Amino acid sequence: MKEIPEFNVKYLVQSPKGGAVPKDFSEEMAKKALAFHRQLPGYRPTDLVRLSRLAQSWRVKDIFVKDESTRFDLKAFKVLGGSYAVAYLICEKLGMNLDEVDFTYLVSEEVRQRIGQITLTTASDGNHGRGVAWAAERLAQQAVIYMPKGTVRSRVENIESHGAKVEVTDLNYDDAVRLSCRMAQENGWYMIQDTAWEGYTDIPLRIMQGYMTMCLEAIDQMAQKETRPTHVFIQAGVGALAGAMVGYLVNKFQGHLPKFIIMEPNNAACIFASATAGDGRPHAVTGDLDTIMVGLACGEPNLIGWEILRDFPCGYISCDNFVAANGIRILANPLKDDTRIEAGESGPVGIGLLDLMINVDRFEELKQALEIGPESTLLFFNTEGVTDPENYREIVWHGKYPSREA
Ligand SMILES: Cc1ncc(COP(=O)(O)O)c(C=O)c1O
């Protein structure tokens, strides 16, 4: 593990140890998820933005950003997972196979009659809860969402707008998950949680499989441009997203894997803590998990995700708020001809890190270790749009969380 203390960045770069190809994340599984999402009203692949001017300026071959800020007008990729898992749950209750059921049937009065009124519950910092609330609304079912302490009003309202009941707790994300779990047990509700633990893996696996749609779209969009990534940067909260992306890409590019780089905020870097511990086991971090990257403010790794993230990435990086804020500013102020991207706090940390690696001498060693150079085609996921407009303006207009100087 190395540290760049002036910038509060820590990193670990290693040769991936490798492992068995994760079969749950095969091309076939990804296509099933995509086939489901295609049936949802308003589905369209989100844009894969090519930042050619930025790539030119930063002397790399290509920079692509998969922009999830327009996913179903919900401003985040998360609904891909929640909707898929909820559909899976309903099919299970109906004794049917998800592959054979179409969405119109799932939202029909007949299904409602057959399964009756059910309540879905989850804990979420915003995006996942919104996805679950959206799915419950489509199915005319109820949802109760528990949010961590300090959740801003705009994120609560986004969920309430889908008719869900929201409770902002005084707990951190992981404790809010435990609360949601207890409430589900006490009230006979169904928990749709985006993290997995011993004994709770079915629903989170479906959620992760649902996320694969985003990666499948991105790789197809790159293939249409006759290219593929040499480096894939993915931010992690519990690591469900990153696990699903890496799992899919390991299946897709067997034998010619891109380099995977996992990024987290310093105060909630549980994948980083697990990777640096070096014993192969997941390690939790605790406390307030305070960061502007609230979607990444999770202290306990997702078990399914961790097993993939243990084996295949070559880089694990933990960094501070200003890196995400810089990413937001860079994407909001594109170079001539490049497309402007609106990124929320959990979306652009990879772009903020690349900026440091390209433009700050102190990061040269990290850049070299990751072999980033003129032949690199870099893929990023802007996983959310502006979900806290006030903070966005403060960051972009007034320079909140300024760059750290050496
Ligand atoms: C916008 C955004 N990006 C990334 C993530 C990280 O996903 P995961 O918790 O699966 O690592 C989340 C999680 O909520 C999120 O909301």
Side-chain angles (χ1 to χ4, degrees), residues 76-78 125 127-128 194 211 235-242 295-296 298 346-347 383-384:
F77 75 101
K78 277 267 162 183
D125 45 68
N127 295 319
H128 172 64
D194 55 354
Y211 295 161
Q235 55 273 44
V238 297
L241 163 72
L296 315 184
C298 312
S346 301
T383 48
E384 75 173 341

Side-chain angles (χ1 to χ4, degrees), residues 51 54 58 65 67 69 155 235 291-296 320-335 339-355 380-403:
L51 297 174
L54 189 62
W58 284 358
V65 180
D67 181 16
S69 66
R155 293 195 173 108
Q235 55 273 44
T291 166
I292 60 165
M293 297 171 248
V294 293
L296 315 184
D320 232 344
N321 284 337
F322 80 92
V323 183
N326 279 353
I328 290 176
R329 287 186 276 267
I330 292 164
L331 293 176
N333 296 283
L335 299 179
T339 302
R340 177 171 172 272
I341 297 176
E342 284 194 352
E345 294 84 341
S346 301
V349 60
I351 289 289
L353 269 171
L354 183 63
D355 172 41
F380 299 87
F381 295 92
N382 175 39
T383 48
E384 75 173 341
V386 178
T387 51
D388 181 353
E390 214 172 295
N391 206 37
Y392 183 80
R393 271 193 302 275
E394 283 296 311
I395 290 170
V396 177
W397 288 2
H398 304 126
K400 196 173 173 190
Y401 310 106
S403 304

Side-chain angles (χ1 to χ4, degrees), residues 102 270 276:
D102 73 27
C270 58
T276 49

Side-chain angles (χ1 to χ4, degrees), residues 2-3 15 37 48 75 88 126 128 148 176 240 242 286 318 328 333 353 368 372 386:
K2 299 208 170 178
E3 201 168 349
S15 303
H37 291 129
L48 180 73
K75 294 190 189 282
Y88 169 81
H128 172 64
T286 53
S318 162
I328 290 176
N333 296 283
L353 269 171
Q368 298 283 341
I372 292 173
V386 178

Side-chain angles (χ1 to χ4, degrees), residues 238-260:
V238 297
L241 163 72
M245 301 298 98
V246 173
Y248 172 73
L249 293 167
V250 167
N251 276 275
K252 179 90 187 170
F253 294 127
Q254 282 176 45
H256 303 91
L257 294 188
K259 290 186 184 302
F260 302 115

